Amino acid sequence: MEGLLPGRPRGLRVTAPVTLLGVRHHGPGSARAVAAALAALRPDAVLIEGPPEADELAALAAEKDMVPPVALLAHVSDDPARAAFWPFAEFSPEWVALRYAADAGVPVRFIDLPAGQSLALGPRGNPAATSGPDGASEEGEGSGVPGGTSGPDPVDPIAELAAAAGHPDPEAWWEDVIEHRVPDGDPLAPFAALAEAMTALREHHPAERRDEIREAAMRQQIRAARRAGHRTVAVVCGAWHVPALAAMPTVAHDRALLAELPKKLKAELTWVPWTHRRLSQHTGYGAGIDSPGWYHHLYSTPEQPVARWMTRVAELLRAEDHPVSSAHVIEAVRLADTLAAMRGRPLPGLTETLDAVRAVLCDGSDVALALVHDRLVVGDALGEVPDGAPAVPLQRDLTRLQRTLRLKPEAATRDLVLDLRKDLDAERSRLLHRLRLLGLHWGRPTRDGVQSTGTFRESWQLAWEPEYAVRLVEAGQWGTTVQGAATGKAIADAATAELTALTELAEHCLLAGLPDALPEVMRRLADRAALDTDAGHLAAALPALVRTLRYGDVRATDTGALTAVALGLAERLCVALPAACTGLDADGAAARRTEIDAVHQAIALLSDPAVAERWAGALAALAAREPHGGPATGVPGLLRGRAVRLLLDDGRIDAEEAGRRLGLVLSIASGPLDAAGWVEGFVSGGGALLLHDPALLGLLDGWLCGVPADTFTDLLPVLRRTFSSLETGVRHTIGSRVAAGPLAAPVVDSGPDLGLDEERADATTPVLALLLGVPRPRIPRQPDRRAG
């Protein structure tokens, strides 16, 4: 590191039994440097910054089934929501040290604060990842210590060093001097330079109190390793901590610092899979690495990294149907090298590489470049953890189900279409719905491009997130299996849920196949429905409940209790609806109209003649409640018009009666705004009615022509909203008919009467039966007319 190493640094112990290897977490250059240093030092003990409770898990790093990125998960035993992660990628220096110790057969220890005390430091015991002064993500660290955090604001050492070297871009400078560096000569040289630089920085920027306490814990662990008789100890830690670990104050000093810690919580640790995408996040449990895929490439491809990167980009773009040839790759590599030379960089960095990709391989398209950034610069790599890693019983049951149902968790988003008539797909559906009840949205229901009105088809979008490991631990309180935990969670939720939430919960129980939870949920639902008098709650609950009934046949579930509750809700709603629609403002009327449409569809699905008759009576009462005594005493025109339209569509009234009511509303006795609302409710949902009945269109046209100019301005927003909801073809036809002059019934030329060819009509019946999924009808054989 030119300009930063005038002589042997004072902050690094090279000849002493303890060698401090200061790194930047998750850096490929630091990882290569650590590998070279450990190979040269050949220590008999390796100490790594991390929670000491993970010492027993370190040996799992050598398992062939352990594939990074992975993370150490720590959670409080009696409060699983209080958790933290320590992620490791293949290019993490700590991971390299773990693998070295495993391969060399030397002891490895973690030396940071215990996880139980780190979790106790946060405000809720679930501290967010905070950016440590060494520029790394310090996962699992609390936000302060009891009594507050003293000291100055954290300093960004990378930015300070880049400024001292005269570079405006800290990340580009770090990439040039560290990440692109291939170890040669003295393997300890980069650590010596970093140690001297950090020593100088800490003289001007004192550490926070939290860092001082952590460093006291690390020094205690180093002393313990020396007392254990180890002669050559290598310590892998954040470079910012190196000066403090090299100083080694008295034991009493460190004990005094550690006495400030809160009481240690009982924590449990295990390994969990992690993802490159999660490493790239700067908040939550992310590590704040902008380009983990690029870093992985630099670490795994030290020879000709730019040329091989361009080859990977070309393969990706070709797979997405972009025309990319080998000549493009060669030209992109040349451009990246030229840009690096022009910008004074020793090798092309990510900036130069992406500039060349955009210009040559993507033809200047930011859309194609975004694909490269998402798939390669960040990436969707998902790690793997061996079966021997500790896990809660619920996690083991989920792993078993994933293997049995052939649903491998993947970080990349993928679509899954299930046919519930197949046993395997039905079990997959139940698993995904049970996990959703537990708060694990591994699968999210979607509407794909194939239209299907049946209940046997489900479309999902799957994407596994590392945080689900924490939610599995939390869900362990409800049961040791996925089905048992989902059952327990549903019963617990039902105890406090309101009416609408209970109907949704009943639907989830049916979809998830939870026969032990459904009776309790239905009991709670019946009790809530009997006591709730709010028509809005009833209107919101009924559609969800009826929708649940539709799944009974395909899932072979007894829905008798659901049917009884749904009929009861419908009966009460028919009585309460007219009164609940009075005195509403515009927003309230619009919301109530949406509820009425949903209830109307739900009652049609119930297929109960008695309830349908009562609902028709409620709509008729709603349509007749004119606001003669003012808006507060009547039903808004939007709802009255909607009720008339629903009655017309169901055949409860004819077009002549609908036209009569429209004429009354559009008469001079009605206010223009109320009339416009009536028209909106009547026309919305399909304007073809106006085309088939010229009398209705004529009434509407005459009313619009007679509206005064000053009132028309106030009506314009309602009219625009009304007619914009119509189909494009319907709007154009209405416009052309009005523009043609006086409205009259259109003359339809039916042509000559050709008669019905029954034989040709019967030939289509088997095809229609196949499309509709009904038994093929038997067609009586017709005599051969040619025989006569």
Side-chain angles (χ1 to χ4, degrees):
M1 208 180 281
E2 294 85 352
L4 295 179
L5 186 58
R8 175 58 63 188
R10 47 188 168 167
L12 181 68
R13 298 185 176 186
V14 177
T15 59
V18 178
T19 301
L20 304 175
L21 304 178
V23 299
R24 190 186 191 190
H25 303 303
H26 314 301
S30 293
R32 282 196 296 266
V34 165
L38 292 177
L41 289 171
R42 302 182 67 180
D44 59 0
V46 177
L47 307 183
I48 301 173
E49 182 180 329
E53 296 98 326
D55 288 349
E56 297 179 357
L57 303 175
L60 290 173
E63 296 286 340
K64 63 178 182 179
D65 294 332
M66 179 75 86
V67 180
V70 293
L72 284 169
L73 164 62
H75 65 87
V76 178
S77 300
D78 56 358
D79 186 5
R82 304 175 69 174
F85 293 92
W86 284 261
F88 298 86
E90 186 177 355
F91 50 82
S92 299
E94 297 87 347
W95 180 256
V96 171
L98 272 175
R99 292 305 305 263
Y100 170 84
D103 295 340
V106 299
V108 59
R109 298 286 183 270
F110 291 97
I111 62 172
D112 206 341
L113 279 178
Q117 288 177 324
S118 294
L119 291 170
L121 292 177
R124 292 177 51 200
N126 186 15
T130 57
S131 180
D134 56 358
S137 175
E138 302 285 358
E139 300 296 338
E141 292 307 316
S143 59
V145 294
T149 302
S150 60
D153 293 336
V155 61
D156 183 355
I158 305 302
E160 295 279 346
L161 294 177
H167 287 259
D169 187 345
E171 292 300 322
W173 174 81
W174 181 265
E175 198 173 59
D176 289 345
V177 299
I178 295 294
E179 304 306 347
H180 286 169
R181 181 181 180 275
V182 178
D184 56 355
D186 184 2
L188 298 178
F191 301 107
L194 278 175
E196 182 181 17
M198 294 302 168
T199 300
L201 281 176
R202 292 194 63 154
E203 290 176 356
H204 296 86
H205 302 284
E208 291 182 325
R209 192 65 169 176
R210 180 188 62 135
D211 283 335
E212 292 179 350
I213 294 175
R214 293 178 56 210
E215 289 160 355
M218 294 183 199
R219 288 192 292 264
Q220 291 285 62
Q221 294 283 358
I222 293 174
R223 293 188 183 102
R226 295 280 295 143
R227 290 195 300 270
H230 297 294
R231 297 184 177 182
T232 306
V233 178
V235 180
V236 179
C237 62
W240 177 259
H241 304 302
V242 168
L245 301 186
M248 277 294 176
T250 63
V251 174
H253 174 272
D254 288 344
R255 287 177 177 173
L257 285 174
L258 295 174
E260 301 179 17
L261 287 171
K263 181 180 178 181
K264 181 179 178 181
L265 300 174
K266 183 180 179 181
E268 298 179 13
L269 277 77
T270 187
W271 288 104
V272 296
W274 207 248
T275 67
H276 277 175
R277 193 168 301 280
R278 185 60 62 196
L279 284 171
S280 68
Q281 295 187 356
H282 289 258
T283 58
Y285 293 119
I289 307 171
D290 292 328
S291 51
W294 168 252
Y295 273 10
H296 180 270
H297 175 78
L298 290 181
Y299 179 74
S300 60
T301 315
E303 301 291 336
Q304 298 181 327
V306 176
R308 295 185 179 183
W309 174 264
M310 293 299 182
T311 302
R312 293 182 60 197
V313 172
E315 292 174 352
L316 171 64
L317 293 176
R318 289 193 196 107
E320 298 295 329
D321 295 330
H322 290 271
V324 178
S325 67
S326 56
H328 286 88
V329 174
I330 295 171
E331 186 59 32
V333 173
R334 289 175 178 172
L335 180 57
D337 290 336
T338 303
L339 290 173
M342 293 175 61
R343 296 170 182 175
R345 305 191 65 176
L347 289 173
L350 181 59
T351 302
E352 289 72 29
T353 303
L354 291 182
D355 287 345
V357 168
R358 177 194 285 112
V360 180
L361 301 182
C362 298
D363 291 329
S365 170
D366 287 335
V367 175
L369 184 66
L371 176 68
V372 173
H373 186 276
D374 182 70
R375 300 278 186 87
L376 296 182
V377 177
V378 176
D380 288 314
L382 175 65
E384 298 180 12
V385 172
D387 294 337
V392 295
L394 184 60
Q395 171 68 68
R396 295 193 180 280
D397 185 58
L398 175 58
T399 302
R400 177 188 63 81
L401 290 172
Q402 287 171 336
R403 290 176 178 171
T404 302
L405 302 179
R406 300 195 294 275
L407 281 178
K408 182 179 180 181
E410 298 175 352
T413 301
R414 71 184 182 96
D415 295 326
L416 178 67
V417 179
L418 302 178
D419 184 344
L420 301 182
R421 296 169 297 184
K422 301 177 180 178
D423 292 340
L424 177 62
D425 284 359
E427 288 298 325
R428 287 174 170 177
S429 172
R430 294 188 187 99
L431 173 62
L432 294 174
H433 282 295
R434 289 168 183 172
L435 292 177
R436 292 185 70 215
L437 271 172
L438 295 174
L440 276 79
H441 297 278
W442 174 27
R444 297 181 183 275
T446 61
R447 296 180 62 88
D448 58 15
V450 180
Q451 298 297 323
S452 176
T453 58
T455 57
F456 61 85
R457 179 189 180 90
E458 281 185 352
S459 298
W460 296 83
Q461 193 173 72
L462 305 183
W464 184 264
E465 298 288 348
E467 284 86 351
Y468 295 158
V470 175
R471 295 182 186 174
L472 278 172
V473 176
E474 294 177 15
Q477 61 182 303
W478 307 112
T480 57
T481 65
V482 174
Q483 180 176 353
T487 298
K489 182 69 162 53
I491 293 174
D493 289 347
T496 57
E498 297 298 331
L499 181 60
T500 305
L502 276 170
T503 58
E504 296 176 354
L505 186 58
E507 181 180 9
H508 291 161
C509 289
L510 189 61
L511 296 174
L514 302 177
D516 295 334
L518 191 58
E520 177 64 18
V521 174
M522 291 308 306
R523 185 182 68 81
R524 298 275 185 179
L525 178 58
D527 293 344
R528 292 283 195 279
L531 298 175
D532 200 321
T533 59
D534 190 301
H537 293 170
L538 299 175
L542 181 62
L545 197 56
V546 174
R547 187 171 59 245
T548 304
L549 290 172
R550 300 181 64 218
Y551 294 94
D553 293 337
V554 70
R555 297 176 185 271
T557 304
D558 183 10
T559 56
L562 286 172
T563 303
V565 175
L567 291 175
L569 282 177
E571 294 274 4
R572 298 182 60 213
L573 191 58
C574 291
V575 176
L577 181 66
C581 292
T582 59
L584 298 175
D585 59 9
D587 293 338
R592 189 55 46 87
R593 189 197 75 171
T594 302
E595 294 174 353
I596 290 175
D597 286 345
V599 170
H600 184 77
Q601 183 179 12
I603 289 180
L605 291 174
L606 274 176
S607 301
D608 186 280
V611 172
E613 286 293 333
R614 291 186 179 89
W615 175 246
L619 290 177
L622 192 66
R625 300 193 69 160
E626 302 282 347
H628 297 300
T633 63
V635 174
L638 176 70
L639 301 183
R640 301 198 319 274
R642 192 62 189 154
V644 171
R645 177 59 185 270
L646 294 177
L647 290 171
L648 177 63
D649 290 344
D650 280 358
R652 302 285 179 174
I653 61 175
D654 56 20
E656 183 179 354
E657 174 64 15
R660 186 186 69 82
R661 298 195 183 204
L662 176 61
L664 291 174
V665 169
L666 300 182
S667 66
I668 195 171
S670 299
L673 285 176
D674 184 70
W678 199 100
V679 171
E680 180 183 2
F682 182 75
V683 174
S684 61
L689 178 68
L690 298 176
L691 299 180
H692 296 303
D693 195 331
L696 293 179
L697 184 56
L699 285 172
L700 185 59
D701 180 55
W703 171 71
L704 282 175
C705 293
V707 171
D710 55 344
T711 307
F712 184 82
T713 304
D714 297 333
L715 296 181
L716 192 57
V718 178
L719 296 174
R720 288 177 62 89
R721 183 171 65 243
T722 300
F723 288 97
S724 65
S725 66
L726 302 181
E727 302 88 339
T728 303
V730 172
R731 290 202 308 269
H732 290 169
T733 306
I734 290 175
S736 62
R737 288 192 181 180
V738 172
L743 295 170
V747 178
V748 179
D749 183 8
S750 60
D753 185 8
L754 301 179
L756 174 64
D757 189 334
E758 296 182 1
E759 185 176 355
R760 295 183 64 189
D762 290 341
T764 65
T765 305
V767 178
L768 292 174
L770 180 62
L771 293 175
L772 296 175
V774 299
R776 180 175 177 176
R778 297 189 61 182
I779 303 173
R781 183 177 181 86
Q782 300 292 335
D784 191 348
R785 298 174 182 174
R786 296 172 298 177

